[in-house]
Amino acid sequence: MSDFSAEAMGLVIREHRQAQRPPMTQEELAKRADYGKGGAVSISRIESGLISPGEHRLAAIALALELTPEQLKQEAEDRTRTLARQRGQRPVKLRDQVAETKRRHAEITEKVAQRSKITQEYGEAFNHVHDAARDEFFLRFVELAESISEAPEPERPSEEAIESAGDIPTAIRIEAMSAGIANAIRGAAAGGAVGVATGGAAAYGAFTAAALFGTASTGTAISTLSGVAATNATLAVLGGGTLASGGAGMAGGTLLLTGMVAAPVAALAAAGFYVLRQRRNKKEEERLRAEVEAAEAALEQSQQGFDAMVDVLNRAPDIMEYVSVHGTHALEKWRASLPPAPRDWESLGHEGQKRYKEFLTVAGCLLAVSSINVSALLTAKLDALQEMNKAIDETLRYANKTIRSIV
């Protein structure tokens, strides 16, 4: 993991941007680094030390500044050490110590507020795109698929594939999810309990829960094949309740803040009485300084998890939006090619059957992206966070590539 602070990386990027001749604006850097709409806001947040760019974003920023990612990282590491030394030098006079501690208290309070704002902003954007993909593609596909009788039982990952896959690669996880969705559709078509007639969120919850928590032919729970999306707690992040109970979309953002700012908020609350006082003695100043330092440390420790969360919530909506737009268009073309209802599997013909299976894969990819365990990123230890980031990046890349190859 990185050995530099978000603050240090932000300062380094800002200095290199401003050192360009003529100086480059934040809007120009965002454009050259391939940020989408509102990219200047992201650059501003990076330069302010609120977020640190992920590997692929950092590489794009470095290229835009005519540097390498390694150069930016090295400069940020050097700056991190410099900032630490500067903060270790305390003013001599008590009144100067008080002024410095109050300034640091105000800075961290603002940072906590900005993190909350960023989380809610990204969470709401995720919700919007996620719900559109669910309603416009997933549920429409389910409705069509339920109208097809005698669809064959989908192939599941073999026991040998599961045992030899180690940590279960994304392809096998998505294959298992797609098989679970297909079996839920088969069950509903045969008169089972789940189906689109139960309503949007509830139907989505029923089908996706069946995909995640059903069992494979080997007896292995499909939930064990879904990596970071395996637990019910993960799914609760996506809807203020489990998907089985009808939840969908990320909770408004504040629920995610528990692991991210609880410690600094507690520290600041404990220090609040003293910081409001116009005068305080040396003992009170020492206590406040210790509380502020604890809050700074807590935020710094959670920075990489917060950055990982922002990266996921930045990348995942692009995949979902592609599904809701292009996937829906492809689905409508397939609908127009289907024979009139009632229809059976044989009536679809080879191309229709092939398209059915492809849309199952898209649905599995959408589920894999939707159910990434965002909340766990905020509380994971650094060694675990590295592995989680690797798995999440693989999921996002594989899902994006697979979906685009199909629709």
Side-chain angles (χ1 to χ4, degrees), residues 54-209:
E55 289 293 332
H56 65 292
R57 289 294 191 190
L58 184 61
I61 290 173
L63 181 63
L65 296 172
E66 299 181 347
L67 299 166
T68 66
E70 289 69 28
Q71 287 175 307
L72 283 180
K73 289 179 182 179
Q74 185 59 58
E75 289 189 36
E77 289 176 10
D78 295 342
R79 183 62 59 85
T80 298
R81 289 189 287 269
T82 299
L83 291 172
R85 286 195 298 269
Q86 291 173 347
R87 285 175 179 149
Q89 300 172 355
R90 298 183 60 181
V92 176
K93 295 182 178 180
L94 178 60
R95 67 179 182 182
D96 294 333
Q97 293 176 14
V98 169
E100 182 201 29
T101 305
K102 288 180 70 174
R103 175 186 60 77
R104 289 168 66 180
H105 183 280
E107 286 180 354
I108 200 169
T109 300
E110 175 62 19
K111 189 169 187 178
V112 168
Q114 288 298 318
R115 276 198 181 185
S116 300
K117 179 181 178 181
I118 290 169
T119 303
Q120 183 166 358
E121 176 185 308
Y122 277 103
E124 289 175 352
F126 182 102
N127 272 343
H128 177 74
V129 179
H130 167 274
D131 291 354
R134 176 199 65 198
D135 296 342
E136 295 171 12
F137 174 81
F138 191 97
L139 293 181
R140 290 185 182 181
F141 167 65
V142 167
E143 182 180 16
L144 276 177
E146 284 186 351
S147 72
I148 302 168
S149 62
E150 300 177 6
E153 182 175 352
E155 294 183 5
R156 301 173 182 274
S158 67
E159 187 172 0
E160 292 75 16
I162 293 172
E163 290 180 350
S164 64
D167 293 333
I168 311 299
T170 300
I172 292 182
R173 286 191 275 117
I174 290 178
E175 183 181 350
M177 290 180 183
S178 300
I181 294 169
N183 277 330
I185 290 171
R186 282 163 48 86
V194 294
V196 294
T198 61
Y204 180 74
F207 278 99
T208 52

Side-chain angles (χ1 to χ4, degrees), residues 5-11 13-14 17 26 29-30 35 37-53 61 110-111 113-125 303 306-307 309-310 313-314:
S5 67
E7 177 187 10
M9 178 58 77
L11 290 172
I13 290 175
R14 176 186 286 131
R17 175 179 61 78
Q26 291 177 336
L29 177 56
Y35 277 82
K37 183 179 179 181
V41 174
S42 295
I43 296 298
S44 175
R45 287 170 172 170
I46 289 171
E47 293 184 350
S48 298
L50 293 172
I51 58 177
S52 189
I61 290 173
E110 175 62 19
K111 189 169 187 178
Q114 288 298 318
R115 276 198 181 185
S116 300
K117 179 181 178 181
I118 290 169
T119 303
Q120 183 166 358
E121 176 185 308
Y122 277 103
E124 289 175 352
Q303 182 68 52
F306 177 73
D307 292 337
M309 179 200 74
V310 169
L313 299 184
N314 205 355

Side-chain angles (χ1 to χ4, degrees), residues 1 54-56 165-171 173 226-229 304-305 307-309 311-312 315 368 372-373 377 380-399:
M1 302 300 287
E55 289 293 332
H56 65 292
D167 293 333
I168 311 299
T170 300
R173 286 191 275 117
S226 57
V228 294
Q304 292 186 14
D307 292 337
M309 179 200 74
D311 186 57
V312 171
R315 296 168 64 188
I372 288 174
N373 192 344
L377 293 170
K381 295 182 179 180
L382 293 184
D383 54 348
L385 182 61
Q386 188 171 16
E387 292 302 314
M388 291 172 67
N389 270 330
K390 181 180 178 181
I392 289 170
D393 182 67
E394 179 189 345
T395 296
L396 293 172
R397 289 178 183 274
Y398 181 88

